[in-house]
Amino acid sequence: LLNMDNSDLVLPCISSAMLSSSTTNESLYEAIRGILFQLLQENISRPKVYQCFGACVSISPRNVMNDIPQFIQIMVSDLTNNLDIESLRVIACSIVMLVRHFPLSIQQYSNDFYSFFWEFITNTKSEPDEEERYTDNARGEVLKCLSSLFAAYPTQFEERDR
């Protein structure tokens, strides 16, 4: 069902189904794990891969937890290499899900995300153009992510950026 050619169409459906599920099923993530990494390696549908990975957190927590270091490394790399606004927005959403479900596992990466997202919020000016809506959506998700990081690790960011 999911392959390199149809990932743009299928990944949002999978993400939606995972977010709608009220039960856990570790085998579902295991079934798509390989193609998610393959899509990342081929630089195909990255925002949708991040969105799907974040959605998998609630349905397949044990298996997702095992892949957190690899996904975080790729996300941080994307954040530092001028990614597009949609990828930024989706990474912020995924980090919120990860922090909510795995606060201890994400804590070691929180400074990287904090630094990048704080920089984005403080240096992004909303110019009235076609991209403004996308920038505003990304800014909103980044603010949610920063809030999530502050809530999960209140003492970690006390003295920063005062």
Side-chain angles (χ1 to χ4, degrees), residues 137-148:
N137 284 341
R139 191 177 292 116
E141 294 303 329
V142 165
L143 286 171
K144 287 180 195 174
C145 185
L146 285 170
S147 175
S148 186

Side-chain angles (χ1 to χ4, degrees), residues 41-77:
Q41 288 173 346
E42 299 289 327
N43 204 21
I44 298 172
S45 304
R46 285 177 102 86
K48 291 181 172 111
V49 171
Y50 293 141
Q51 183 179 27
C52 190
F53 182 72
C56 289
V57 166
S58 59
I59 198 163
S60 188
R62 189 176 61 241
N63 287 330
V64 166
M65 189 169 153
N66 294 332
D67 287 338
I68 286 174
Q70 292 167 283
F71 265 92
I72 295 291
Q73 181 181 10
I74 296 167
M75 287 176 179
V76 168
S77 175

Side-chain angles (χ1 to χ4, degrees), residues 5-34:
D5 297 327
N6 68 7
S7 60
D8 275 346
L9 299 172
V10 176
L11 282 175
C13 296
I14 292 171
S15 298
S16 180
M18 299 244 183
L19 289 171
S20 299
S21 179
S22 60
T23 61
T24 60
N25 185 338
E26 296 289 337
S27 66
L28 290 176
Y29 174 70
E30 217 32 58
I32 62 168
R33 178 185 183 276

Side-chain angles (χ1 to χ4, degrees), residues 5 8 17 23 38 46 56 58 75 88-90 96 120 122 130 132 140 160-161:
D5 297 327
D8 275 346
T23 61
Q38 187 177 359
R46 285 177 102 86
C56 289
S58 59
M75 287 176 179
L88 174 88
R89 185 189 70 75
V90 174
V96 169
F120 173 77
T122 57
E130 218 172 279
E132 183 177 0
R160 294 190 62 164
D161 301 309

